[in-house]
């Protein structure tokens, strides 16, 4: 089945970029019952460190791991330095990837938060012929640790600047392989090691007339 996606509302997403001046952001409070595990974690951080004065950023929900589940943490995500020719969507995705790669604060670690997203993961523009909304990564999505992939998929799915609405996230790697659709569901959030793929997406024909 060919999946189609509406082009992301990039300008609307970037219009939400804020200039921060030392405001503290509270994380989403989601207690997690880990049942018979050796210890229980609260998955609750009282507050985020104050932002740096003059730092540009946007509010986003970053999916971290806590109690073997994904828990959304509200953060102000700094915008990477703009490079010549960088696509606005790529800038947002890169900022979210860097937020996922960043080690949780001491307070977050005490509450049970960790991240599985490896350092150095970067975003790149879609290739010619990719379906609308495709995000290319510096590593093939299926080569990432499953929990890391779940974090990326669910974080991007929750971003208005990246996702056009409810539905799968279309990810590709650095090579010419067709992108795949990945879905963030409640099952994925509760069992992030099992993020499902919806399969490869057919590339649109370069010439509708065939010639």
């Amino acid at each position: 089945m060919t999946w189609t996606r509406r082009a992301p509302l990039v300008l609307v997403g970037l219009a939400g970029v804020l200039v921060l001046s030392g405001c503290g952001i509270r994380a989403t409070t989601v207690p997690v019952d880990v049942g018979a595990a050796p210890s229980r974690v609260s998955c609750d951080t009282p507050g985020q460190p104050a932002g740096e004065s003059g730092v540009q950023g946007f509010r986003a929900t970053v999916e971290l791991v806590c109690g073997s589940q994904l828990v959304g943490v509200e953060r102000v995500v700094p915008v990477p330095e703009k490079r010549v020719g960088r696509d606005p969507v790529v800038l947002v995705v890169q900022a979210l990837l860097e937020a996922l790669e960043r080690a949780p604060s001491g307070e977050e670690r005490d509450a049970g938060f960790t991240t599985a997203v490896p350092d150095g993961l970067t975003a790149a523009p879609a290739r010619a012929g990719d379906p609308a909304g495709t995000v290319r990564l510096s590593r093939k999505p299926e080569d990432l640790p499953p929990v890391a992939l779940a974090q990326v998929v669910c974080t991007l799915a929750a971003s208005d600047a990246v996702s056009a609405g409810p539905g799968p996230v279309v990810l590709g790697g650095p090579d010419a392989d067709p992108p795949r659709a990945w879905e963030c569901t409640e099952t994925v959030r509760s069992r992030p090691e099992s993020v499902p793929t919806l399969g490869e997406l057919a590339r649109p024909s370069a010439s509708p007339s065939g010639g």
Side-chain angles (χ1 to χ4, degrees):
M1 176 182 294
T2 300
W3 288 87
T4 60
R5 290 174 57 88
R6 183 162 56 89
L9 302 179
V10 176
L11 297 181
V12 175
L14 291 183
V17 171
L18 306 174
V19 177
L20 308 179
S21 57
C23 59
I25 304 300
R26 293 177 62 85
T28 304
T29 301
V30 184
V32 175
D33 183 354
V34 294
S39 62
R40 295 169 66 88
V41 291
S42 67
C43 298
D44 176 18
T45 54
Q48 294 294 324
E52 297 179 26
S53 178
V55 172
Q56 287 189 329
F58 59 94
R59 298 180 189 273
T61 299
V62 177
E63 298 289 340
L64 300 180
V65 183
C66 192
S68 300
Q69 302 180 43
L70 296 188
V71 177
V73 176
E74 184 183 350
R75 283 184 174 170
V76 173
V77 179
V79 177
E81 293 184 8
K82 190 171 184 178
R83 303 176 188 175
V84 176
R86 288 297 292 269
D87 184 275
V89 169
V90 175
L91 287 174
V92 174
V93 173
Q94 183 61 44
L96 293 172
L97 292 177
E98 291 177 6
L100 288 169
E101 294 170 2
R102 193 172 300 119
S105 66
E107 188 177 34
E108 288 173 335
R109 290 195 300 272
D110 290 343
F113 287 98
T114 62
T115 183
V117 178
D119 291 338
L121 187 63
T122 60
R127 291 172 174 266
D130 282 347
T134 296
V135 173
R136 288 278 177 174
L137 303 177
S138 56
R139 290 179 59 179
K140 295 179 67 171
E142 53 268 39
D143 289 345
L144 291 172
V147 174
L149 177 58
Q151 286 183 257
V152 171
V153 168
C154 289
T155 297
L156 297 186
S159 172
D160 293 337
V162 178
S163 176
V169 174
V170 184
L171 298 177
D175 53 24
D177 288 348
R180 296 173 179 266
W182 306 84
E183 193 168 26
C184 178
T185 64
E186 287 306 312
T187 299
V188 171
R189 293 178 60 83
S190 62
R191 297 181 58 192
E193 73 281 358
S194 60
V195 58
T197 175
L198 302 180
E200 291 185 0
L201 302 183
R203 292 181 181 271
S205 173
S207 173
S209 63

